[in-house]
Amino acid sequence: MSKKSHAEKFPLAVKAGSSVVKIYRDCRNDGRTYYRVVFHLGGKRHRLLFADLDAARNEAAAKAAQLARGDVDAAQLTGRDRLAYGRALDAIKPFGIELDAAAIEYSEARKILKGHSLIEAARFFMRHHGQGITGRLIADAFEDFKNAKTEAKRSAVYLKDISYRVGAFAKAFNMEVRQVTPQDVLDWLTELKLSARSYNNYALMLRTFFAFCTTRGWLSKDIDLLSMVERRTGDKSDIEIFTPQELRAIMAAASPRVAACIAIQAFAGVRTAELFRLTGVDVERRKGHIEFAAGKAKTASRRLIPITDNQAAWLRIA
């Protein structure tokens, strides 16, 4: 306690216009001095306690000025409250909105987020809806994707796969592409209860679809909607190998056309998808060979496969 405070006569009166706020000096039971800032507001007597006289003077002067201006709400704020109030006003000043409107909007947002961070939600929104990202319904994006692959002259099998897998996804989500979350994709795939191979095939086709959406500006490049989807490994089963006698029995029991198809796969190593694209012309164009044009081969490059004698015998039967 300073000598000056002892010399002053209490209570001290701090005036602003016609308003007066008084400062009283008191002593605690342990002998320590403290100061009471006392003012009347709304017919009630208010007091604030301070251990330091200078702090009490500053608060008394602020309260007197607020009362003189008729700023009743501000007069009820403590020094700490006024500091927080000032910081809040500075924070929202660039946006030109009232403090109570900002507080209400913040409260409503937190209710919607159910405890999640409002800042993280805003960042998530900007990644999905930020500059350059436009809204496109998944159903419409699916049609654009399918048409683009059709114009690129992808195989009928591939286009059917698009319709089957991506088409199912489009039917399940009636929303814009940018509104989908990784959790949505994971939940949808899980609910399908697929085998490991089918699960991976769905995920692969969806990855191609999402990449297409990214190039069209419907999905942010910073978003990986398959980030929660892990490749599954199924139970490995032994590859069954037929003996010549078993293969002969199978082909003998099949119709001539089916037997010819089995022969092409068994003796030429042709993939099933490639077999579906074959025509009689492909078998007959090059004598002694099966010719795969680039558009029919999985590797997208032309190749010739020699026709073995036993394969040729089955082909003649067909």
Side-chain angles (χ1 to χ4, degrees), residues 61-74:
K63 285 288 185 284
Q66 290 160 2
L67 291 172
R69 294 194 306 267
D71 193 349
V72 176
D73 292 333

Side-chain angles (χ1 to χ4, degrees), residues 90-243:
D90 290 339
I92 65 171
K93 186 176 180 180
F95 307 104
I97 60 176
E98 298 296 331
L99 182 58
D100 58 343
I104 293 171
E105 184 173 321
Y106 176 83
S107 176
E108 291 300 317
R110 289 302 298 264
K111 289 177 183 178
I112 294 172
L113 291 170
K114 299 184 183 303
H116 294 287
S117 168
L118 183 58
I119 293 176
E120 286 304 315
R123 288 172 178 163
F124 175 86
F125 179 88
M126 288 307 298
R127 287 198 299 269
H128 285 76
H129 302 263
Q131 186 175 6
I133 304 302
T134 57
R136 186 67 169 170
L137 288 174
I138 295 176
D140 295 335
F142 159 64
E143 291 297 331
D144 292 337
F145 177 60
K146 185 171 61 174
N147 291 337
K149 296 305 179 182
T150 301
E151 292 176 2
K153 300 189 182 304
R154 299 303 299 268
S155 69
V157 174
Y158 186 78
L159 295 176
K160 183 178 180 181
D161 201 30
I162 288 176
S163 297
Y164 180 67
R165 301 183 196 280
V166 183
F169 181 80
K171 289 179 181 178
F173 291 90
N174 184 24
M175 61 176 68
E176 294 179 354
V177 179
R178 62 184 180 180
Q179 294 176 313
V180 182
T181 67
Q183 186 67 56
D184 291 331
V185 178
L186 175 63
D187 291 343
W188 182 73
L189 285 173
T190 302
E191 290 171 2
L192 293 179
K193 301 186 183 304
L194 302 166
S195 65
R197 182 174 181 178
S198 293
Y199 184 91
N200 294 336
N201 287 340
Y202 264 90
L204 182 61
M205 185 57 72
L206 286 178
R207 184 172 296 283
T208 304
F209 172 61
F210 295 148
F212 172 81
C213 292
T214 299
T215 62
R216 296 300 178 93
W218 305 328
L219 183 66
S220 171
K221 63 181 180 180
D222 297 324
I223 299 298
D224 181 6
L225 292 179
L226 291 167
S227 61
M228 300 178 68
V229 176
E230 295 183 0
R231 181 178 178 79
R232 291 184 176 180
T233 302
D235 295 332
K236 293 184 178 180
S237 56
D238 295 333
I239 298 176
E240 188 174 1
I241 299 176
F242 295 112
T243 65

Side-chain angles (χ1 to χ4, degrees), residues 25-34:
R25 184 178 66 200
D26 291 303
C27 189
R28 301 183 188 277
N29 293 332
D30 58 6
R32 290 184 298 171
T33 300
Y34 68 96

